[in-house]
């Protein structure tokens, strides 16, 4: 049975934190928030488990103090959260929701009081409905509006945030949502995919420009890296895996670190790319201060000629799986970091901004034994330790997630938290994993 005592061997200045995001926990029916495109998406039949949405979620708008206390009591030194765009700007670009503004004021002040470093993400997928109705991420204007929204954040909170990230997981915003149709807006359309793949990166670039114009210094982007591997040694599978590497990983990093997009995918998206997209790449390549990596699993890729546009499929692998049916593949975390650092010759700090697992947790008279989650954390932390020993510049590790929450198209049916949430009563119950972090962080 694994424990997390290895935490004690991490460098003294290594930051341990836990992460959440606005739509997944806040409850957007509270505090005069505007609606997000997830509210719309959840209503479409078959898109979200039991058509659940984030109107109530963990009602963090009410329980935020208790929630921050849970982060602090576990001994974490940082909290990664996101701002809700519709909460700050409910119905248009110009008007601000004062209740929203003061909510994040209180939240950040409390973090500082508890000695938690605030890691704020600007966009973790809750796009205001008015922008979704105008075409969302398939439209250039959305990237421009994102710049205005970024300014609201940096102006109001920049003096108190330890670090900021522009976008969480552009692959999900663009590919998962416009090509695979799994997340809002649920499209399967190559033209919107190509546009979104570019405009989400442009939004990042515009955001960086705003951040720099306020002389804010600790800014980055959060990319979700998959350990992409070929299903077999057959050349067609290897080629398919190489293409998927571009789709999932290098599209976004190439844009940020080389101001270009990778060739094979660009050939596929080419005809649909925005006119003169090349001119934006310099903005997208605005230097960042750190790179955030979210890692969960690997993707085993096989050539598939049935697929018309990208001829590949993701095959279910043989390893043990989490409740998301994602393979547990800790070496992958090491691999994706090595690849990233070598490919771009990175010297900048790396933050592991998310890692964790869904588990079928049961609340048995107030006890939640999630030893499997402890095992998962142990195995992944071991890989980070190996990299630190080899001199990799990794600065932090954030467990996803503080609370069981709204897991997007899986609704409330998947539990990722260190703290169990009874969604009927909103009672928070610390799981064994919370106690395990706590006894080793303090
Ligand atoms: C990541 C998301 C996060 C959560 C985890 C399980 O892709 O950033 O919101 O859904 O996966």
């Amino acid at each position: 049975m694994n424990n997390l005592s290895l935490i004690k061997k991490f460098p003294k200045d290594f930051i341990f934190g836990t992460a959440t995001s606005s739509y997944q926990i806040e409850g957007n029916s509270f505090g005069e928030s505007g609606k997000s495109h997830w509210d719309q998406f959840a209503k479409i039949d078959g898109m979200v488990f039991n058509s659940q949405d984030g109107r109530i979620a963990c009602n963090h708008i009410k329980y935020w103090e208790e929630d921050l206390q849970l982060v602090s009591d576990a001994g974490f030194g940082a909290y990664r959260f996101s701002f809700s765009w519709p909460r700050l700007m409910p119905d248009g670009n110009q008007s601000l929701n004062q209740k929203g503004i003061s909510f994040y004021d209180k939240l950040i002040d409390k973090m500082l009081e508890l000695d938690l470093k605030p890691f704020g993400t600007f966009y973790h997928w809750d796009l205001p409905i008015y922008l979704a109705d105008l075409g969302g991420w398939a439209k250039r204007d959305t990237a421009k509006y994102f710049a205005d929204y970024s300014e609201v954040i940096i102006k109001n909170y920049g003096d108190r945030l330890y670090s900021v990230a522009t976008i969480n997981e552009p692959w999900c915003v663009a590919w998962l949502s416009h090509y695979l149709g799994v997340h809002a807006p649920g499209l399967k359309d190559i033209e919107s995919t190509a546009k979104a793949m570019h405009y989400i990166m442009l939004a990042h670039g515009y955001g960086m420009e705003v951040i720099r114009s306020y002389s804010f210094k600790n800014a980055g982007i959060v990319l979700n890296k998959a350990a992409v591997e070929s299903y077999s040694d057959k050349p067609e599978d290897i080629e398919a895996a190489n293409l998927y590497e571009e789709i999932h990983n290098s599209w976004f990093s190439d844009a940020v670190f080389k101001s270009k997009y990778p060739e094979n995918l660009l050939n596929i998206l080419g005809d649909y790319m925005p006119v003169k997209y090349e001119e934006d790449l310099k903005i997208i390549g605005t230097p960042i201060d750190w790179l955030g990596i979210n890692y969960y699993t690997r993707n085993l890729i096989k050539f598939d000629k049935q697929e018309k546009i990208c001829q590949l499929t993701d095959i279910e692998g043989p390893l043990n799986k989490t409740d998301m049916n994602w393979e547990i593949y800790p070496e992958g975390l090491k691999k994706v970091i090595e690849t990233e650092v070598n490919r771009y010759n990175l010297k900048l700090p790396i933050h592991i901004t998310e890692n964790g697992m869904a588990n079928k947790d049961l609340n048995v008279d107030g006890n939640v034994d999630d030893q499997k989650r402890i095992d998962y954390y142990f195995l992944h932390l071991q890989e980070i330790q190996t990299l630190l020993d080899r001199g990799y510049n990794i600065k932090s590790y954030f467990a996803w997630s503080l609370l069981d929450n709204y897991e997007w198209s899986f609704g409330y049916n998947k539990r990722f938290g260190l703290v169990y949430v009874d969604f009927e009563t909103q009672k928070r119950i610390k799981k064994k994993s919370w106690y395990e972090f706590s006894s080793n962080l303090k």
Side-chain angles (χ1 to χ4, degrees):
M1 203 158 66
N2 295 309
N3 61 39
L4 297 183
S5 60
L6 81 174
I7 286 179
K8 295 199 189 293
K9 303 214 184 79
F10 275 68
K12 282 278 157 291
D13 60 350
F14 191 88
I15 300 169
F16 281 95
T18 181
T20 61
S21 88
S22 46
Y23 191 77
Q24 292 179 277
I25 64 166
E26 287 180 357
N28 77 340
S29 55
F30 311 116
E32 291 168 30
S33 173
K35 292 266 165 280
S36 134
H37 66 165
W38 272 91
D39 297 300
Q40 215 168 29
F41 183 63
K43 291 204 181 89
I44 308 174
D45 255 3
M47 296 320 274
V48 175
F49 175 77
N50 283 350
S51 302
Q52 292 170 338
D53 60 31
R55 272 178 297 177
I56 311 256
C58 307
N59 198 349
H60 175 68
I61 290 297
K62 179 165 172 197
Y63 297 107
W64 61 275
E65 276 185 284
E66 185 185 330
D67 293 340
L68 287 184
Q69 200 62 51
L70 286 164
V71 183
S72 168
D73 288 351
F76 287 113
Y79 178 56
R80 176 172 178 251
F81 68 106
S82 76
F83 295 92
S84 158
W85 193 346
R87 179 174 302 288
L88 288 170
M89 303 171 99
D91 46 26
N93 194 28
Q94 299 310 322
S95 66
L96 295 181
N97 171 19
Q98 282 312 321
K99 284 200 169 161
I101 297 280
S102 64
F103 172 70
Y104 296 112
D105 259 330
K106 289 185 301 193
L107 193 75
I108 295 167
D109 286 347
K110 186 73 187 178
M111 283 181 228
L112 296 176
E113 195 187 308
L114 294 171
D115 238 345
L116 295 171
K117 291 184 169 59
F119 276 64
T121 301
F122 292 2
Y123 185 70
H124 199 130
W125 311 350
D126 36 5
L127 186 71
I129 253 180
Y130 64 91
L131 289 179
D133 289 344
L134 294 173
W137 288 112
K139 287 284 183 291
R140 187 177 186 92
D141 279 351
T142 304
K144 290 206 193 115
Y145 288 126
F146 180 79
D148 301 335
Y149 165 61
S150 300
E151 183 160 14
V152 169
I153 296 176
I154 210 75
K155 210 156 122 181
N156 281 281
Y157 312 111
D159 57 336
R160 285 163 290 160
L161 291 169
Y162 176 79
S163 88
V164 299
T166 51
I167 308 288
N168 180 70
E169 303 190 350
W171 178 83
C172 292
V173 177
W175 199 265
L176 188 65
S177 310
H178 297 79
Y179 184 86
L180 297 174
V182 173
H183 277 190
L187 301 179
K188 290 186 180 173
D189 170 54
I190 189 69
E191 177 155 9
S192 336
T193 302
K195 303 284 191 287
M197 289 289 272
H198 181 63
Y199 291 139
I200 192 64
M201 295 316 289
L202 182 59
H204 159 73
Y206 283 157
M208 283 306 299
E209 288 188 326
V210 170
I211 291 164
R212 293 300 184 224
S213 74
Y214 279 78
S215 309
F216 185 91
K217 287 256 167 30
N218 200 9
I221 184 170
V222 171
L223 304 177
N224 52 325
K225 298 287 170 190
V228 175
E229 292 179 5
S230 172
Y231 176 73
S232 81
D233 290 341
K234 288 192 196 144
E236 68 262 34
D237 288 341
I238 294 176
E239 211 176 295
N242 287 342
L243 174 59
Y244 197 71
E245 174 71 18
E246 293 187 10
I247 295 171
H248 202 110
N249 296 333
S250 55
W251 180 269
F252 310 99
S253 298
D254 276 12
V256 172
F257 296 122
K258 293 184 174 169
S259 284
K260 70 191 231 342
Y261 288 130
E263 211 175 324
N264 298 313
L265 182 54
L266 193 56
N267 283 338
I268 293 172
L269 299 180
D271 290 347
Y272 306 103
M273 288 295 286
V275 198
K276 298 198 185 154
Y277 73 88
E278 298 91 337
E279 292 175 9
D280 299 327
L281 280 162
K282 202 162 158 261
I283 299 174
I284 298 174
T286 304
I288 54 175
D289 303 313
W290 57 271
L291 174 66
I293 290 185
N294 292 354
Y295 174 79
Y296 289 93
T297 189
R298 77 168 165 180
N299 289 101
L300 265 188
I301 301 296
K302 188 178 185 322
F303 172 74
D304 183 352
K305 67 169 184 297
Q306 312 281 355
E307 291 292 327
K308 285 205 270 318
I309 302 173
C310 296
Q311 297 195 304
L312 53 86
T313 342
D314 200 344
I315 297 287
E316 184 173 329
L319 306 177
N320 286 342
K321 313 235 173 32
T322 70
D323 193 34
M324 295 294 278
N325 210 27
W326 295 346
E327 279 187 310
I328 300 177
Y329 188 53
E331 306 91 285
L333 175 56
K334 187 165 71 210
K335 284 190 187 166
V336 299
I337 296 173
E338 283 169 341
T339 304
E340 203 68 7
V341 168
N342 296 333
R343 193 179 274 164
Y344 306 101
N345 193 18
L346 298 185
K347 303 276 184 276
L348 45 66
I350 291 176
H351 292 274
I352 312 299
T353 32
E354 283 180 31
N355 179 233
M357 74 175 275
N359 189 41
K360 285 217 181 311
D361 297 319
L362 294 175
N363 169 17
V364 182
D365 303 327
N367 287 312
V368 184
D369 183 345
D370 60 343
Q371 180 60 41
K372 283 191 184 153
R373 183 171 287 110
I374 297 174
D375 294 340
Y376 182 100
Y377 283 126
F378 167 76
L379 293 170
H380 288 78
L381 284 169
Q382 247 187 347
E383 300 292 333
I384 296 179
Q385 217 165 31
T386 306
L387 290 176
L388 286 172
D389 289 346
R390 289 194 206 146
Y392 276 73
N393 193 11
I394 306 172
K395 293 291 186 203
S396 73
Y397 178 87
F398 287 81
W400 181 272
S401 180
L402 172 66
L403 304 169
D404 292 339
N405 58 43
Y406 181 70
E407 182 43 42
W408 309 110
S409 39
F410 297 89
Y412 299 95
N413 197 30
K414 301 289 169 192
R415 295 182 177 272
F416 272 92
L418 302 176
V419 175
Y420 182 97
V421 177
D422 177 333
F423 292 104
E424 295 293 314
T425 60
Q426 292 295 352
K427 197 167 160 25
R428 274 74 166 142
I429 298 156
K430 295 163 188 159
K431 300 181 192 175
K432 188 174 176 192
S433 57
W434 185 96
Y435 287 106
E436 188 56 33
F437 269 104
S438 152
S439 53
N440 290 292
L441 285 169
K442 291 201 285 208

